[in-house]
Amino acid sequence: MTPIDFQIQSLGGFRQVEIIKEKIINLSQSDLEAGLPPILESNNYHDVFSALGLAVFQNLPPGSDLQRQLPIAHEFFCGDFVFLEFLIANFKSSQKTQTQLRDPQPGPTDRIEKLFQQLRGAMYYGDTEAADDAVTKLCRTTSIFQIFEYIFELGIQDMSFGAKKAITSLQYWQLSSILRHSFTPLLLRSLVRYFCQSLNATPQADRHDVTSWIESESLADQTGDDWIYHLPSRQPDIQNLMHTIVDGPLLVALASVDEVLGKGYHPIWTWSAVFQLAISGCQLSDFKLSKDNTLLGVSSLFKISQLVHNPSLRLKAMFQAVAMVASRKGTCNGKFIYSNENITEFYNELQQKANGVSLTDCLQYYELISGLNNWFKYQSISVL
């Protein structure tokens, strides 16, 4: 296939997705049962899924549950038209009559550094329209990878909703690799709007844990980049590390992790301790993800630490994960027996639980399963 043929084929695919999207948007609730099967039967799975993604981001509020859960549905139910039909019905039940994103504002394109500063300022003040304009222009001039790395840094600062900004930014990143590249600006615009809107809805005193972030930045700057050369063969006293994290003040917990790194221990051991602590506070029998996002937040911060290139940002993600479990004092059972079998056992229990709940609830469990999958994949290529 020549480059021209590929471009024509891609353009045709994009137009087809637009047509399917309009059909999904215009379906009425009363006509859903009769009107949806012809759409599913006459198009391939990826085109319908992409059309649904486009409809979701144009018509649902930024940061909605369905936006965050689309990549999870694709990961575990890809090719399942029955589940895809459920997702479309879920979208229709909450579809807005008016699009949630305005048309992008082209305007002049400034230097990348200036646009990043505009985006940072807009995020700080919760200026939705300025953030939208900045990221729209950045998408025309800057690598998507670079934009996401900057947004990841903004996302991991949030501690007020169980790292929900980190969770959401990671899921948007995963979805951007599933949908066509031309849809990525739409995802980014929705993401920065969600950041701004959640900031405006949160009291100033509770916007994020300022202490942990300031300390994380300071420790990351002091540590430098030498830690990336440490070998994973040396194992610290993980039980003692876990007790130090949850028993003492937050700053002591962060300092203890920095000390472990300074002694040459690989970060995998700190992550092992953090995962153990996050899981120890979960009671699966009455586990409610909406009440406690700690484990999902830890899993998302871990994945972000593996995605970003900047060593300092990777450390900050880890420090924030430590701060999350350290702030949950009194929720752990106090008996810490380090064993990766504990995580595997919890993983298996999650899968069993997911198979016995409704489709809506199972997506929440599969979010956690997906996060733990990232941990298992990392371990499979690491020497423990």
Side-chain angles (χ1 to χ4, degrees):
M1 181 183 295
T2 67
I4 294 179
D5 291 335
F6 178 78
Q7 291 175 7
I8 293 175
Q9 186 181 55
S10 299
L11 182 60
F14 180 78
R15 288 174 177 169
Q16 180 65 17
V17 169
E18 285 281 352
I19 293 173
I20 300 171
K21 180 205 74 173
E22 291 300 320
K23 290 181 178 179
I24 292 175
I25 289 176
N26 293 327
L27 274 176
S28 64
Q29 282 286 90
S30 59
D31 193 41
L32 196 60
E33 185 174 346
L36 190 53
I39 296 176
L40 299 177
E41 293 168 3
S42 58
N43 297 282
N44 66 62
Y45 179 90
H46 187 72
D47 282 348
V48 179
F49 185 88
S50 299
L52 173 62
L54 192 57
V56 164
F57 278 89
Q58 288 181 341
N59 291 271
L60 296 188
S64 63
D65 288 342
L66 186 55
Q67 291 177 354
R68 196 185 73 243
Q69 292 170 351
L70 277 178
I72 304 300
H74 189 275
E75 179 179 356
F76 293 99
F77 300 96
C78 182
D80 187 337
F81 277 85
V82 175
F83 201 86
L84 182 58
E85 187 173 355
F86 158 74
L87 292 175
I88 295 175
N90 192 1
F91 160 67
K92 296 301 296 184
S93 67
S94 53
Q95 179 181 342
K96 304 299 180 182
T97 56
Q98 187 176 10
T99 58
Q100 298 296 302
L101 292 178
R102 64 173 184 174
D103 291 333
Q105 306 298 303
T109 298
D110 298 312
R111 291 188 308 167
I112 294 175
E113 295 81 5
K114 184 176 180 180
L115 290 173
F116 272 129
Q117 290 301 320
Q118 178 184 337
L119 182 58
R120 177 186 288 274
M123 294 287 196
Y124 182 81
Y125 291 106
D127 189 338
T128 304
E129 305 305 332
D132 191 312
D133 289 345
V135 79
T136 298
K137 295 172 183 176
L138 280 168
C139 288
R140 301 204 311 267
T141 58
T142 313
S143 164
I144 296 299
F145 301 98
Q146 186 176 358
I147 300 174
F148 261 107
E149 182 149 326
Y150 178 75
I151 289 179
F152 281 147
E153 181 169 358
L154 296 174
I156 66 177
Q157 295 181 34
D158 179 65
M159 294 283 288
S160 57
F161 295 105
K164 190 174 181 181
K165 287 183 180 178
I167 296 169
T168 305
S169 59
L170 176 63
Q171 301 297 17
Y172 277 42
W173 161 259
Q174 293 176 327
L175 192 59
S176 72
S177 64
I178 296 171
L179 302 180
R180 288 176 169 82
H181 176 73
S182 55
F183 294 162
T184 303
L186 178 65
L187 270 65
L188 284 166
R189 292 175 57 218
S190 179
L191 181 58
V192 299
R193 280 178 170 268
Y194 164 69
F195 277 15
C196 288
Q197 290 172 10
S198 62
L199 181 67
N200 289 332
T202 306
Q204 179 73 35
D206 191 39
R207 290 190 175 178
H208 59 77
D209 191 324
V210 177
T211 302
S212 68
W213 180 250
I214 293 175
E215 186 68 11
S216 296
E217 284 193 308
S218 175
L219 291 175
D221 292 339
Q222 293 174 19
T223 304
D225 297 344
D226 290 343
W227 66 270
I228 63 177
Y229 302 110
H230 295 169
L231 299 177
S233 56
R234 301 179 61 200
Q235 179 177 349
D237 186 342
I238 296 185
Q239 293 187 44
N240 181 63
L241 177 61
M242 288 192 285
H243 277 291
T244 303
I245 290 174
V246 297
D247 291 343
L250 174 62
L251 296 184
V252 173
L254 293 173
S256 66
V257 171
D258 185 56
E259 182 181 358
V260 168
L261 287 176
K263 291 181 178 179
Y265 296 111
H266 195 274
I268 188 174
W269 302 114
T270 297
W271 281 112
S272 294
V274 170
F275 268 100
Q276 291 283 343
L277 290 171
I279 289 175
S280 67
C282 297
Q283 298 294 329
L284 199 60
S285 59
D286 59 351
F287 181 62
K288 298 292 185 181
L289 185 62
S290 59
K291 291 184 179 179
D292 189 352
N293 281 355
T294 301
L295 180 54
L296 182 56
V298 165
S299 299
S300 300
L301 288 166
F302 170 73
K303 180 62 175 178
I304 289 174
S305 74
Q306 303 306 301
L307 284 173
V308 297
H309 177 266
N310 188 329
S312 178
L313 187 53
R314 291 160 66 185
L315 278 184
K316 292 173 185 177
M318 185 177 71
F319 287 138
Q320 287 299 86
V322 171
M324 280 193 68
V325 295
S327 64
R328 299 171 71 249
K329 300 183 187 303
T331 59
C332 297
N333 57 28
K335 297 179 180 179
F336 306 132
I337 303 175
Y338 170 71
S339 170
N340 281 316
E341 284 74 16
N342 294 343
I343 302 179
T344 304
E345 181 181 354
F346 184 78
Y347 175 85
N348 293 333
E349 289 182 21
L350 276 176
Q351 288 190 311
Q352 293 177 3
K353 185 77 172 180
N355 293 331
V357 297
S358 66
L359 293 180
T360 302
D361 292 336
C362 83
L363 279 174
Q364 293 184 312
Y365 287 100
Y366 274 111
E367 273 192 300
L368 276 178
I369 292 171
S370 177
L372 291 176
N373 275 342
N374 293 326
W375 173 246
F376 291 136
K377 290 175 184 177
Y378 177 75
Q379 286 183 305
S380 68
I381 59 174
S382 301
V383 181
L384 286 177

